[in-house]
Amino acid sequence: MSAPLIEMRGITKSFGAVKANEAVDLSVAPGEILGLLGENGAGKTTLMNVLFGAYAPDAGEILVEGRPVAIHNSADALAAGIGMVHQHFHLAPRLTVLENLLIGIPGKSGRIDRARGLARLNEIGRQYGLSLDPNLPVSALSVGEQQRLEIIKALFRGAKLLILDEPTAVLAPSEVDGLFAALRSMATQGLGIIFISHKLNEVRALTHRCVVLRHGKVAGRVDHPAQTTSAEMAKLMCGHEIVPPTKEASSPGAAVLTLDGISTSGHAGTPLRDVSLSVRSGEILGIAGVSGNGQRALADVISGMLPPRAGAMTIAGKAVARFSPRELQALGLGRIPEDRMTTGLVTNLPLADSMVLPRIGTEAFSRKGLLNPAAIRAFAEEQIKAYDIRCPGPMVRAGALSGGNLQKALLARELAFDPKVLIVSQPTRGLDIGAARFIHEKFLAMRAKGCGIIVIGEDLEELLMLSDRIAVMYEGRIAGTLPSADATVARLGLMMTGAGHTEEAA
Amino acid sequence: MFRLEARTSTPAWFNLALPLLAIAATLVLCSGLIAIAGAGVVDAYGVMLSASLGDSYAITETLVRAAPMIFTGLAVAIAFRAKFWNIGAEGQLLAGAVASCFVGAIPMPGYLAMLLMALAGAAAGALVALVPATLRVKFKVDDVVSSLLLNSVIYYALMALIEGPWKDSFSGYPISPPIEDSANFPVLMEGTRLHLGVIVALIAAPLCWFLIARTTLGFRIRVTGENPEAARYGGINVQRVLLSTALLSGALAGLAGVGEVGGVHFQVMSDISPGYGYSGIVVAMLARLNPLGVVPAAIFLAAVMTGAEAMSRATGVPAFLSDVIQGTALLAMLVALLFTAYRIRRVGAPA
Ligand SMILES: Nc1ncnc2c1ncn2[C@@H]1O[C@H](COP(=O)(O)OP(=O)(O)O)[C@@H](O)[C@H]1O
Ligand SMILES: [Mg+2]
C-alpha cells in the first residue's frame, strides 16, 4: 500500500470531563475505504471534526501526505484536500444545486462563474456517476439527493479524502446501493474515504479496513472486514457479545386492531387504497415495502393523524369514530412515530414534558386543569431509571439526548400505560446495536404480555426477526401477507416490487 | 480570532444576565446620541434616573406608566409562547379603552362599574385578537401582518367615534364624554396617580406565570409554540390552543386600555396610548417571554419614558431619545438572544 493520504496520531479531545477521543491513531491510504465504527457516543463524529478543523485537539497531530499540518477550520481542511459530509447537511434550501456548489467560490472579478461551475459539475457527474439537475432548488431534493450534493460539493472543492458521517442513517436501502457504487468508483480513482456507520453489514460490504472506537479509544482494528463476522465486530464495538433476543412461541388471541377497507386522500405521500388487516393480541405484524408505498399513510391513519376517506377501524373490539389521537389513546393504542425529533418530542422543552405530553390531561398528571409537577417529575424519573435513559435528569432539554435515548423515552411514555396495541415506524433507525437490541427486547416482552404490535420498517432482517406475520405494501395496497416462517428476504423483496401476490386473510 | 459555536444547553442565569446585558449595551449606544445632542452623558442619565425613580412621587409616576405595559407585555409574552404572533396589542388596548369608556359612562354603583368596565374591556380586546387568530387557523393568513394592520383599523374606528358621535358638542374637542366619577379607579396614595389598576397589573403577572407554568392550558400553549406537530401527535387540538391563546392575549391587552380609562384619563382621546401596545413587544422580549420578567422590564421602559421628559427639559436632549432607547433595547435583546444558542469561542490565530 502507498504512503498514507492522511494520518492522525495520538489524537485526544475532551469536553469537560468527557474524554471524547483518547490517543487515537488512524490513517487512510489513497484508494482506500476506511470504516470507522463505534456505538453512539463512541467519539466518531468528534474525531472527524478534529480532522476537519471544527475542534482543536488537546493533543496529537495530523499529517497530510506525510507532512504535519495545522487545521484550524474547514477552509484549512479543504485546502489540505479533506472534505466532510456531516450527519446534518449544510445547504441553502432556497438556492439551486449549482448555486450551493458555488457558495464561497469567487470567479473572475468577484462574480460567480456559472459556466465553469457547470462544466466541473458535469465532469464530476461523468467521473463518479454522481449527477444532479443543476437548476433544481435544494428544497426540492430528497434527502438522498441532498447527500449527493454534499458529496459533489466536497469533490468540487478538490477533496482527496472524503469523510462521510453516518451517511446511510438517512437513506432507504435502495439509495444505499447507489451511494456505495459511487464511493467504490471514487476509491478506484484514488480518493481516500472514511465511512462512519454502526451498521455492520454495510461496513463489511463496503470497507477495506476498519477502526473500531469504544469510549473514545481504539478498541480494535479489522484488516479484512469482508472476512470478519458481524458478531466479532459487534463484540469489539460493545465490549461484550451481542446475542439476538429469543422469540418465544406465542399463541395469539383475539384481534386487537382491525382495519377494514381503509382508503385515504389528502396526504402528501401515497394514499391507502382499500387496506384491510388485523393484529391479534400477542402478535407482531411486520409491514414491509419499499418506502413511499403508503406506509406513511398507514401509520398516520392508525395513529390518528389522518382520518381515512373510507373504511372502518376497531381497537380492542370498539369501533373508532373520530380518528383523533386522543380517542385512539383512550381506546388503548400506543404510538411511536417515525420521526422522533419532529413528531415525537418537543426538543426545546424539558424531557419530562415530552414524556407526559400525550397524557397531560389525564388524572395521572393533572387535575381540573392544574398540572401536578411532582407527579410529572416522578414519572419521568421513574422511566429514566427503568429504561436506563442516559441523561442528566428529567429537566434536561429533550433535544440534548442521543437518538437511542430519545427512542427509549418515547417507548417508555407509551408502554407505561400498558397499550393493547402498539404501532411503531422504523423503530431502530439510526440506533446502535445495543440500543436496537433493547428496543427489540421490549417489543418481545410486550408481545408476551399480550400486546398486539405493528412494526412498519425497511430493515427486512429486523422484521423477519421480530414478526409473526409480515404484510407487504405496494402502491398503497397490501400486496400480500406471509407468516414469518415462510418469508425470506428474497421472497419479500419480490413481493415488494409488486410481483408474486400471495393473498391470505390478513 | 473569534467564532460562534453552538451551545448544547443554556445556563439558567442567562435569563437575568441577557436582558441586563442588552440594557447596558443600549445605554452605552445611546450615550453617543446624548453626546451628539451636546449634553453630558452622566448628567443626562442622572436626570433620567432621579426623575423616574428618585423619590416616591417619581416612583409612583413610573409605576402608573408601567401598568399598561405590564398588561401589553403579558399579552405579547403569552401569545409569543404559543407562536401566535400578536403584534396587535395596540389595537386591542384601544378597543379595551373604548369598551370600558362606554360602560363607565353608564351610571351605576362604583365597584360594579369598575368590574363591568374590566369585563367589557377584556372582552373587546379578546374579540379583536380573535380576528387574526381565526384568519390564521382557518385560512392560513399570516398573523403578523393581519394583527399589525388591524391596529390601524381600530385606531381609525376610534377616531371616527371621537370625531363623530362622541365629539364634545360643547367644546368641539375630539374626546369622548368622561366616565362617571364613581367609576374612577380609587387612588391608593394621597397626592399621586397610583390607582387600583396598577395593583391589578402587578397581580396579573404572577397569575399569568402560574397559568403558563402550572396549568394544562399553559402546558399546551408551550408545547404548541415549540412544536405544533408533536403537539398534534400528542393529542393537543392545536387550533383550539391558538384561539384560546388569542383570547387570553387580547383580553390582557384590553385590560391595559381599561386601566388608562379608569385610572388615568377617565375618557378616551386619540393619543390615549403612546404606543403601549408596541412597547409590550419590547417588554416581552426583554422578559424572555417570562410573565414574571414582564414587571421589571415594563418598569424599565416606563422609567425611560418618564425620565426622558425630565432630561429633555433639563438638558435640551430631545425626549425622542426615549423611543430610540426602546428600539435599541429591542435590537440589543434580539442580538443578546443569539447567546442562548451560541457561545463565542477564541480560536488560534489563522494559519
Ligand atoms: N460539543 C460537545 N460538547 C460536549 N460534549 C460533546 C460534544 N460533542 C460530543 N460530545 C460528547 O463526546 C462523546 C462522543 O460524541 P460523538 O463524537 O458525537 O460520538 P459518535 O459520533 O461516535 O456517536 C459523547 O459522550 C458526547 O456526548
Ligand atoms: Mg456521530
Side-chain angles (χ1 to χ4, degrees), chain A residues 80-144:
Chain A
I82 300 169
M84 180 157 176
V85 177
H86 290 89
Q87 251 164 314
H88 304 284
F89 305 145
H90 298 179
L91 297 169
R94 284 169 188 246
L95 299 187
T96 64
V97 165
L98 185 60
E99 287 161 347
N100 266 278
L101 284 177
L102 292 172
I103 290 174
I105 299 184
K108 275 189 220 100
S109 66
R111 298 203 16 211
I112 289 170
D113 194 344
R114 284 179 163 268
R116 216 172 52 119
L118 213 52
R120 191 81 181 87
L121 178 64
N122 287 330
E123 192 186 313
I124 291 171
R126 267 197 310 280
Q127 205 175 350
Y128 306 110
L130 289 165
S131 58
L132 278 179
D133 179 346
N135 298 317
L136 274 184
V138 163
S139 55
L141 301 182
S142 72
V143 176

Side-chain angles (χ1 to χ4, degrees), chain B:
Chain B
M1 209 171 78
F2 295 95
R3 72 170 186 215
L4 292 174
E5 201 172 271
R7 278 181 185 283
T8 44
S9 65
T10 317
W13 55 267
F14 268 47
N15 290 329
L16 194 61
L18 289 180
L20 292 179
L21 190 74
I23 288 171
T26 303
L27 295 181
V28 170
L29 286 170
C30 291
S31 62
L33 292 177
I34 295 175
I36 292 171
V41 172
V42 177
D43 285 351
Y45 282 141
V47 173
M48 274 181 91
L49 187 66
S50 65
S52 59
L53 300 167
D55 56 61
S56 60
Y57 179 76
I59 291 175
T60 62
E61 276 301 293
T62 298
L63 285 176
V64 168
R65 269 197 194 254
M69 290 191 282
I70 292 176
F71 277 123
T72 56
L74 291 172
V76 174
I78 288 183
F80 282 17
R81 276 294 180 95
K83 296 221 162 72
F84 165 53
W85 302 116
N86 184 9
I87 313 295
E90 182 75 11
Q92 292 143 26
L93 178 155
L94 295 179
V98 168
S100 65
C101 190
F102 259 118
V103 173
I106 303 167
M108 66 181 110
Y111 279 100
L112 181 63
M114 288 175 217
L115 186 67
L116 291 182
M117 280 168 75
L119 288 177
L127 280 179
V128 172
L130 204 53
V131 174
T134 310
L135 289 175
R136 168 166 155 190
V137 164
K138 293 274 181 254
F139 305 110
K140 299 204 167 89
V141 175
D142 188 284
D143 43 3
V144 174
V145 176
S146 61
S147 65
L148 176 65
L149 293 182
L150 206 51
N151 287 341
S152 303
V153 175
I154 305 285
Y155 177 73
Y156 287 110
L158 179 149
M159 289 301 286
L161 202 56
I162 57 181
E163 293 278 8
W166 263 359
K167 191 166 183 162
D168 189 335
S169 54
F170 182 66
S171 70
Y173 286 132
I175 46 176
S176 77
I179 58 173
E180 293 280 312
D181 283 350
S182 61
N184 291 3
F185 291 180
V187 169
L188 303 170
M189 202 191 269
E190 198 73 37
T192 72
R193 297 199 294 170
L194 195 68
H195 58 87
L196 182 65
V198 178
I199 300 300
V200 177
L202 291 173
I203 296 171
L207 287 180
C208 286
W209 174 85
F210 186 84
L211 177 99
I212 289 290
R214 291 280 187 268
T215 67
T216 49
L217 176 60
F219 183 93
R220 295 190 172 113
I221 288 175
R222 283 183 277 138
V223 170
T224 300
E226 288 292 347
N227 185 346
E229 166 145 355
R232 195 162 89 82
Y233 190 84
I236 291 175
N237 186 333
V238 170
Q239 304 200 336
R240 183 150 48 170
V241 170
L242 281 174
L243 295 175
S244 317
T245 308
L247 287 174
L248 206 61
S249 170
L252 285 162
L255 287 177
V258 175
E260 292 310 280
V261 169
V264 181
H265 300 292
F266 315 114
Q267 60 192 175
V268 170
M269 61 284 220
S270 65
D271 57 353
I272 188 162
S273 162
Y276 287 140
Y278 300 106
S279 304
I281 300 169
V282 185
V283 168
M285 293 308 291
L286 283 174
R288 299 216 52 207
L289 307 188
N290 181 337
L292 294 180
V294 161
V295 173
I299 290 176
F300 165 70
L301 285 197
V304 168
M305 287 181 189
T306 30
E309 283 158 20
M311 179 196 66
S312 169
R313 267 176 267 124
T315 66
V317 178
F320 289 120
L321 187 71
S322 144
D323 295 338
V324 178
I325 289 182
Q326 259 195 62
T328 312
L330 178 58
L331 290 177
M333 190 60 202
L334 292 175
V335 173
L337 285 176
L338 190 71
F339 296 106
T340 57
Y342 297 93
R343 72 171 88 221
I344 293 186
R345 211 177 63 130
R346 240 199 138 99
V347 291

Side-chain angles (χ1 to χ4, degrees), chain A residues 15 18 20 39-46 55, chain B residues 8:
Chain A
F15 294 107
V18 180
E39 297 201 86
N40 287 326
K44 307 178 295 287
T45 299
T46 304
Y55 298 136
Chain B
T8 44

